[in-house]
Amino acid sequence: MRFKVLLIDDEPGALEGLALWIDWERLGFSVCGTAGSGVEGLEMIRELAPDLVITDVNMPLMDGLQMIETWQQFHGSDVKFAIMSGYSEFEYARKALRHGIHHYMLKPIIAEEAEEELGKIHEELMQEQRRLGLNAIAIREEAVSLIKQTMLEKPLQAGELAKLQTLSAVHQEWNMCLIQADPVLFSDVRETVTRWSAQAESEYVIDLEPNRLGLVLGSPGRGSESSGTIGELLRRYAGRRLFMAVGEGQQSLAQIRRCYETAKEAIEHQFYDTEYGGMISYREVLDRPFHYHYPTSLLDDVIRSAELLDKKEFLEAAQLAASTFREQRIAPVIVKKMVIHVLYKIMGLAKETEDAEARILAAKSNAAGLTDGTYHLDDLMAELLRCGEECMDLLLLEQARQSQGLIHEINGYIRLHYRENLTIKRLAELFYLHPVYLGQLLLRKNGIGFNELIHNLRIDEAVALLKQSKLKNSEIAEKVGYSHYNQFLKHFEKRWGMSPNEFKNRRF
C-alpha cells in the first residue's frame, strides 16, 4: 500500500533534496505536495489529507511544533508527523515527544538513515490501517446485524435501538434494493455487491434466503436511488439472469421492514419482463396489482393435448395460457405452481412407459427449481414446451413399439377368423382400440386396409380349394366366408380377372 507524504521546510534546497534523494515509491510513499512554512503547511494538510507530514521544526512565523500542536488541537491525531532538525536543536525533539511524535531525522538528511526511519513509519502506518480496517469491519457488521434484526421484526434492546437511530440519522431516506440471481451467478453477484458497497459510506449488504440479498441504501433526499453499486450491477450483468427491485423509501432505518416488503412485491413484477439484468422500482408497479384467479381450463387443455399426443394443440394451448397470464397479470407464484403441476402431470405420462429415457427426461427437468428461480414467464413456458414435446416424442415412440407387437397379434387373429363375419368395429372391441386408430395401424403395417385384407385371405383360400376340384363353387364361397355367392364372384373376378369356372377350366 502507498501512503501520501507532505514535505514542509522553509529552505527550498532542502525540500528539493528530500524529494530527489529518497526513493519514495520503493518505500511505499508518494510525495503529494510541499510547503515552505507552518502556516502554509496547515492549509496543505487540510487540502491534501496526507498520511504522513515531515516538517522542519525551526521555521519563521510558525515553527513545525506549533503547526503540529495547532493541527492536533483542532483535528486530532489522524495524521502522522515526523520532524527534522539539526544537532543544536535537540530541545525541539524532546518537545516533540510530548505531542506523540517519535520519528526524528537529523539535518542534513542522509538518504540511508532517512530511508530506515521511513521504513519504520511505513510499518506503523500499515498496522494502523489494519487496525482501522478491523474496526470498520466490526462497526459495519454490527450495523448489518441491527438492520437485519429490524427488517425481520426482531426486538432491539435500548442500547441497540439508540445505535440504530444514530446510524439512521446520517441520511434523510433509507431504502432497500432486493437482488436475486441465478444460482450459478449468485456468488459472483454477491462478491461484486460486497466489494462496491464497502467503498460507500452508507450501503449495507444483508444476506437473505438462498440466491437473494438486500442492499440497504442511505440517500440525501426522497426518491434518490443513485448508487455506484447498483450502477455496476446494471452494467456488469445486463442481459444475465439477475432481478433487482427497489422498495418504498423510508425516513428511518426503523422502517426498513417496509422497504423490504415493497421491494419483494416489486421484484415479482420482473416475472413478466422479457429481458434480464434490469431494475424495477416499487413506484412503477404501485398501481399494477396481481390477480389470483384465472380460468383453470387453460392448463387443463394443455394436459389434455399432451395426453392425446397432439403437438400442434399442445403448443396452441400453452401459448393461449401464457398470453392470458400476461394480460390478466396473474400472480407469478400461482403461475409457477400451476405450470409445475402440469410439468409433473406430463412427466407422469412418460414414466408409465417404464423406459430409461423417461427417467433421463425427468432428471433433465428443472421443475422443482422453477418456483424460486430467476425466471421470466417466457422461460417458464419454454421449459413447459420443451418438456412436453420431449414427453410426447417418447410416448409416440413407445406407442409405435407397442403397436408393432399389437398389430402382429391382430393380424394373427384376422388370419384365424377371416372366414367369420369379422368387422373392424368388432376387432377394435376385442383389442380395446378405437376403430379409426385400428384401421390406421393395419393400413400402415400391411399396406392395405382391413376389408381388402379380409377379401385377399378369403380368395387365396378359395383358389386353393378350386385347385382341388372337390367342392362346388357355391360351397367354396360359403366355406371361405361369403354368405352371398355374387359377392364371392365379384371379389374373385377382381383379383384374377376371370370367374371361378374359367379358373378351373384354364387349369385342365
Side-chain angles (χ1 to χ4, degrees):
M1 182 175 182
R2 188 165 297 167
F3 297 99
K4 295 190 296 182
V5 58
L6 173 65
L7 306 177
I8 305 174
D9 199 314
D10 61 331
E11 298 178 21
L15 285 176
E16 185 179 356
L18 273 174
L20 295 176
W21 298 337
I22 296 175
D23 190 347
W24 296 99
E25 185 173 341
R26 180 176 59 81
L27 295 170
F29 294 95
S30 63
V31 176
C32 64
T34 60
S37 70
V39 174
E40 185 185 359
L42 284 174
E43 185 60 33
M44 297 280 289
I45 295 172
R46 291 190 195 93
E47 181 183 339
L48 301 175
D51 301 293
L52 171 64
V53 174
I54 301 177
T55 179
D56 188 18
V57 289
N58 190 7
M59 296 184 292
L61 299 178
M62 176 183 284
D63 64 34
L65 294 181
Q66 289 173 328
M67 181 196 70
I68 294 171
E69 185 177 5
T70 302
W71 178 264
Q72 292 180 343
Q73 181 179 353
F74 292 99
H75 301 281
S77 57
D78 57 330
V79 177
K80 184 174 285 293
F81 290 93
I83 62 171
M84 301 179 293
S85 68
Y87 283 105
S88 61
E89 299 163 336
F90 185 71
E91 185 60 28
Y92 283 118
R94 289 200 298 184
K95 287 182 180 180
L97 292 173
R98 293 200 294 269
H99 295 291
I101 300 166
H102 304 285
H103 294 285
Y104 184 87
M105 301 181 191
L106 285 173
K107 296 178 70 176
I109 298 298
I110 299 174
E112 291 79 2
E113 294 177 355
E115 289 183 1
E116 182 180 352
E117 195 68 22
L118 286 168
K120 296 175 184 177
I121 295 173
H122 187 274
E123 180 58 31
E124 290 178 9
L125 287 169
M126 288 294 294
Q127 290 178 2
E128 183 67 15
Q129 284 293 315
R130 287 191 285 268
R131 184 185 65 79
L132 290 173
L134 291 173
N135 287 344
I137 291 171
I139 292 169
R140 181 174 283 269
E141 287 180 350
E142 183 181 27
V144 167
S145 177
L146 293 174
I147 293 170
K148 189 170 184 178
Q149 288 182 69
T150 305
M151 189 185 74
L152 299 179
E153 296 184 316
K154 293 182 179 180
L156 298 180
Q157 297 179 0
E160 292 175 326
L161 185 59
K163 289 180 180 179
L164 185 70
Q165 290 171 341
T166 301
L167 189 67
S168 183
V170 175
H171 288 290
Q172 292 183 23
E173 183 176 275
W174 292 88
N175 208 334
M176 172 180 281
C177 177
L178 187 60
I179 302 164
Q180 180 173 334
D182 183 85
V184 175
L185 198 62
F186 182 75
S187 60
D188 186 69
V189 170
R190 192 191 186 287
E191 192 276 331
T192 299
V193 173
T194 301
R195 185 175 69 254
W196 277 77
S197 63
Q199 303 171 30
E201 181 183 351
S202 298
E203 292 187 2
Y204 303 95
V205 181
I206 310 294
D207 287 310
L208 301 169
E209 56 265 36
N211 306 319
R212 268 191 176 188
L213 56 87
L215 178 65
V216 174
L217 307 158
S219 57
R222 290 195 63 80
S224 175
E225 293 155 3
S226 61
S227 161
T229 306
I230 292 177
E232 178 65 11
L233 291 174
L234 291 171
R235 183 194 67 79
R236 181 186 287 260
Y237 302 104
R240 303 181 72 181
R241 287 189 182 276
L242 179 73
F243 285 172
M244 292 194 294
V246 174
E248 182 181 50
Q250 301 295 315
Q251 293 182 346
S252 170
L253 282 170
Q255 284 83 47
I256 196 66
R257 174 76 180 185
R258 173 65 180 169
C259 304
Y260 175 48
E261 292 293 343
T262 50
K264 284 202 298 183
E265 185 176 337
I267 206 169
E268 289 297 307
H269 286 263
Q270 290 204 320
F271 177 71
Y272 286 107
D273 285 348
T274 55
E275 295 182 358
Y276 285 101
M279 186 177 74
I280 196 167
S281 169
Y282 179 69
R283 293 194 302 271
E284 298 175 47
V285 300
L286 187 58
D287 299 321
R288 297 162 59 197
F290 289 128
H291 297 92
Y292 290 82
H293 300 285
Y294 70 97
T296 56
S297 61
L298 284 172
L299 293 179
D300 290 341
D301 290 344
V302 176
I303 295 173
R304 182 181 59 80
S305 60
E307 290 173 339
L308 294 174
L309 305 181
D310 189 331
K311 286 188 177 183
K312 181 175 182 294
E313 186 178 334
F314 177 77
L315 174 62
E316 292 174 352
Q319 289 175 337
L320 177 60
S323 63
T324 303
F325 293 148
R326 191 180 297 279
E327 290 167 7
Q328 297 185 8
R329 302 292 291 182
I330 304 301
V333 64
I334 299 294
V335 176
K336 290 178 183 179
K337 286 180 179 179
M338 296 313 299
V339 170
I340 289 168
H341 169 72
V342 173
L343 278 170
Y344 279 121
K345 278 286 221 181
I346 293 173
M347 285 190 291
L349 296 174
K351 286 179 181 178
E352 292 176 5
T353 65
E354 297 183 355
D355 193 287
E357 290 181 39
R359 293 191 294 273
I360 294 171
L361 179 60
K364 281 170 58 180
S365 173
N366 189 33
L370 294 177
T371 302
D372 299 321
T374 311
Y375 289 95
H376 289 150
L377 173 64
D378 292 345
D379 298 317
L380 195 69
M381 300 311 291
E383 177 69 11
L384 174 61
L385 290 173
R386 183 197 64 77
C387 183
E389 289 183 358
E390 289 189 16
C391 282
M392 284 187 282
D393 286 341
L394 183 61
L395 287 166
L396 287 167
L397 180 62
E398 180 63 20
Q399 189 180 77
R401 290 171 183 165
Q402 292 178 356
S403 296
Q404 291 298 319
L406 180 62
I407 200 67
H408 180 75
E409 185 180 347
I410 292 172
N411 275 333
Y413 185 89
I414 291 172
R415 292 180 185 280
L416 289 174
H417 299 275
Y418 65 86
R419 303 175 188 88
E420 302 168 9
N421 187 23
L422 188 62
T423 65
I424 190 74
K425 182 179 180 182
R426 175 58 183 155
L427 194 62
E429 290 173 352
L430 289 170
F431 287 92
Y432 303 100
L433 295 172
H434 193 282
V436 174
Y437 176 65
L438 175 56
Q440 292 172 345
L441 279 179
L442 288 169
L443 183 61
R444 284 200 300 268
K445 175 64 178 177
N446 301 323
I448 57 176
F450 170 75
N451 289 329
E452 190 77 4
L453 177 62
I454 292 291
H455 291 303
N456 284 351
L457 291 171
R458 288 174 177 178
I459 298 304
D460 285 346
E461 185 180 3
V463 167
L465 292 173
L466 285 169
K467 289 177 181 179
Q468 295 174 10
S469 301
K470 294 180 179 180
L471 297 174
K472 297 178 181 179
N473 290 352
S474 59
E475 291 174 333
I476 290 174
E478 185 177 353
K479 186 176 180 63
V480 298
Y482 291 107
S483 56
H484 300 288
Y485 183 76
N486 286 338
Q487 189 181 20
F488 166 68
L489 186 62
K490 182 183 73 171
H491 284 288
F492 191 94
E493 290 179 344
K494 177 183 177 183
R495 285 161 177 76
W496 284 92
M498 64 185 75
S499 69
N501 283 332
E502 289 174 330
F503 179 82
K504 282 199 281 188
N505 294 333
R506 193 190 65 172
R507 295 183 69 250
F508 299 101

